[in-house]
């Protein structure tokens, strides 16, 4: 999965660099606001892919004394930066181009050049999108999800961001073509401003959604409910486990999950049996889900649970007795 993410991001970066050069060249030559907005969109996508390349490389570093759980969460940080890039560079510049088109409508452009560049851009963006969707399909199949479910539930921001960008890019190209076409037919350059504004709003909405997703992962997002249920079921299947008292999970990286469980054991177990049980559960969880990389089991015997309940109720009983004595003195 890691190598797949790297290849997907690398292809997206190469495609965006090619698209950026053609769009900006055509935009400068023709003066088209829609074309310049699409050029800004491609600039933001290229910068974002650089962030994502850095995120994939840096997140794969091995754990050390200072970062004992590794650097997987760094991918979420750089993906958050990529979302901010979409918001500021792509959305902001597109809205500026919309304002400029309404204030000073662009002159009739080089229509053949603009249509040719937009068609070429659609081919480049489509190639990148096909690669991203291919990886999403493979990953979704490996975990028993539909591609749409995997896009919404996956913790890999790199592929998710690339797929989102490419979908928006293709939709933006269609909007730009519509704006240029209406400008050509009506002679009114403000139609390109409308297209630029639409592209800008679309980019801002996508940026906010991606930023919120990555912020949740940075704070510490749990795995999906069905995955937690399967983890709990796997733990409770062990013959020494009476019940799972508490289960906590967290994404440490795009494909790295921490599991911490507090379990109540059956009565009459030795310390050696408890140690063996923890090791068995660790192995079983890692075998059942390749993304589980850290497992912590806190085992409690029925006797310890009863002692804990007595300790918790003892202060309350003491306060009741003290109240009775005070009442008697009164």
């Amino acid at each position: 999965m890691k190598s797949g993410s790297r290849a997907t991001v690398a292809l997206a970066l190469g495609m965006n660099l090619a698209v950026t050069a053609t769009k900006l060249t055509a935009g400068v030559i023709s003066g088209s606001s829609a074309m310049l907005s699409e050029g800004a969109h491609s600039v933001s996508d290229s910068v974002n892919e650089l962030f994502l390349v850095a995120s994939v490389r840096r997140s794969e570093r091995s754990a050390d004394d200072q970062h004992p759980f590794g650097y997987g969460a760094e991918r979420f940080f750089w993906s958050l930066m990529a979302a901010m890039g979409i918001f500021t560079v792509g959305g902001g510049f597109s809205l500026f181009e919309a304002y400029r088109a309404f204030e000073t409508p662009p002159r009739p452009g080089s229509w053949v050049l603009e249509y040719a560049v937009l068609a070429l851009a659609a081919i480049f963006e489509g190639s990148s999108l096909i690669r991203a969707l291919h990886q999403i399909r493979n990953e979704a199949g490996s975990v028993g999800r539909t591609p749409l479910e995997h896009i919404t539930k996956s913790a890999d921001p790199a592929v998710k961001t690339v797929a989102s960008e490419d979908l928006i890019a293709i939709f933006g190209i269609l909007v730009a073509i519509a704006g240029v076409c209406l400008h050509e037919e009506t002679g009114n350059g403000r139609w390109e401003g409308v297209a630029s504004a639409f592209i800008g709003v679309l980019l801002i909405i996508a940026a906010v959604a991606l930023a919120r997703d990555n912020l949740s992962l940075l704070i510490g997002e749990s795995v999906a409910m069905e995955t937690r249920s399967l983890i709990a079921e796997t733990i409770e299947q062990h013959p020494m486990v009476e019940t799972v008292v508490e289960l906590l999970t967290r994404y440490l990286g795009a494909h790295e999950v921490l599991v911490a469980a507090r379990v109540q054991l059956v009565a009459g177990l030795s310390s050696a049996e408890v140690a063996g049980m923890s090791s068995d559960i660790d192995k079983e969880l890692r075998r059942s889900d390749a993304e589980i990389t850290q497992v912590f089991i806190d085992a409690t015997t029925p006797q310890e649970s009863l002692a804990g309940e007595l300790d918790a109720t003892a202060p309350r009983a003491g306060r009741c007795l003290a109240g009775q004595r005070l009442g008697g003195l009164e």
Side-chain angles (χ1 to χ4, degrees):
M1 290 184 182
K2 291 181 179 179
S3 60
S5 296
R6 193 185 303 115
T8 298
V9 174
L11 176 62
L13 176 60
M15 294 295 100
N16 272 314
L17 289 174
V19 169
T20 300
T22 54
K23 284 181 181 177
L24 289 178
T25 301
V28 170
I29 292 173
S30 65
S32 167
S33 294
M35 186 68 69
L36 288 172
S37 294
E38 272 298 297
H41 179 183
S42 294
V43 169
S44 73
D45 284 356
S46 299
V47 173
N48 295 339
E49 256 83 67
L50 289 173
F51 281 137
L52 295 177
V53 167
S55 79
V56 172
R57 291 176 62 88
R58 293 180 64 83
S59 68
E60 292 176 0
R61 289 178 294 168
S62 301
D64 53 37
D65 292 339
Q66 199 168 18
H67 299 88
F69 292 112
Y71 293 82
E74 194 162 343
R75 189 180 296 198
F76 307 146
F77 170 76
W78 288 107
S79 298
L80 178 62
M81 297 297 292
M84 296 305 297
I86 296 173
F87 185 94
T88 54
V89 180
F93 188 82
S94 294
L95 292 179
F96 169 74
E97 277 300 314
Y99 168 78
R100 199 168 68 89
F102 278 100
E103 286 293 307
T104 309
R107 65 185 186 277
S110 305
W111 309 120
V112 175
L113 174 64
E114 291 181 30
Y115 289 133
V117 167
L118 289 170
L120 187 61
I123 294 172
F124 287 143
E125 299 286 6
S127 300
S128 178
L129 178 60
I130 288 170
R131 166 67 198 188
L133 292 179
H134 176 71
Q135 184 179 345
I136 288 170
R137 262 197 314 271
N138 288 342
E139 290 184 1
S142 67
V143 294
R145 296 174 181 160
T146 65
L148 184 58
E149 284 178 331
H150 191 64
I151 288 174
T152 57
K153 295 179 180 179
S154 173
D156 188 347
V159 177
K160 193 182 300 187
T161 302
V162 169
S164 300
E165 285 181 346
D166 290 340
L167 280 170
I168 293 169
I170 290 175
F171 193 69
I173 288 170
L174 295 175
V175 172
I177 290 173
V180 172
C181 184
L182 287 169
H183 182 190
E184 180 184 8
E185 291 298 320
T186 65
N188 187 350
R190 288 188 174 87
W191 280 112
E192 294 197 24
V194 173
S196 297
F198 196 89
I199 292 168
V201 170
L202 191 64
L203 288 171
I204 288 172
I205 292 172
V208 170
L210 289 170
R212 185 177 60 183
D213 193 28
N214 284 287
L215 180 60
S216 176
L217 289 164
L218 275 172
I219 293 171
E221 186 175 306
S222 174
V223 299
M225 181 64 74
E226 59 266 29
T227 305
R228 288 203 301 275
S229 298
L230 288 173
I231 292 172
E233 184 180 334
T234 300
I235 296 173
E236 288 182 336
Q237 283 175 351
H238 195 282
M240 297 182 189
V241 175
E242 183 71 32
T243 185
V244 175
V245 178
E246 186 177 18
L247 178 63
L248 302 175
T249 63
R250 173 176 180 160
Y251 277 105
L252 299 174
H255 304 288
E256 300 168 24
V257 173
L258 178 147
V259 175
R262 187 154 59 92
V263 302
Q264 182 169 314
L265 305 178
V266 298
L269 297 177
S270 66
S271 57
E273 287 175 319
V274 172
M277 174 274 303
S278 298
S279 178
D280 291 343
I281 290 176
D282 186 313
K283 292 176 183 176
E284 186 59 33
L285 287 176
R286 291 171 189 262
R287 183 164 58 246
S288 65
D289 190 336
E291 292 192 342
I292 296 176
T293 57
Q294 300 286 343
V295 178
F296 298 93
I297 304 295
D298 178 17
T300 305
T301 63
Q303 294 84 355
E304 290 171 337
S305 297
L306 179 60
E309 290 173 5
L310 291 174
D311 288 341
T313 57
R316 206 178 309 128
R319 284 195 296 273
C320 291
L321 289 172
Q324 289 171 3
R325 293 194 188 96
L326 287 172
L329 288 174
E330 291 172 353

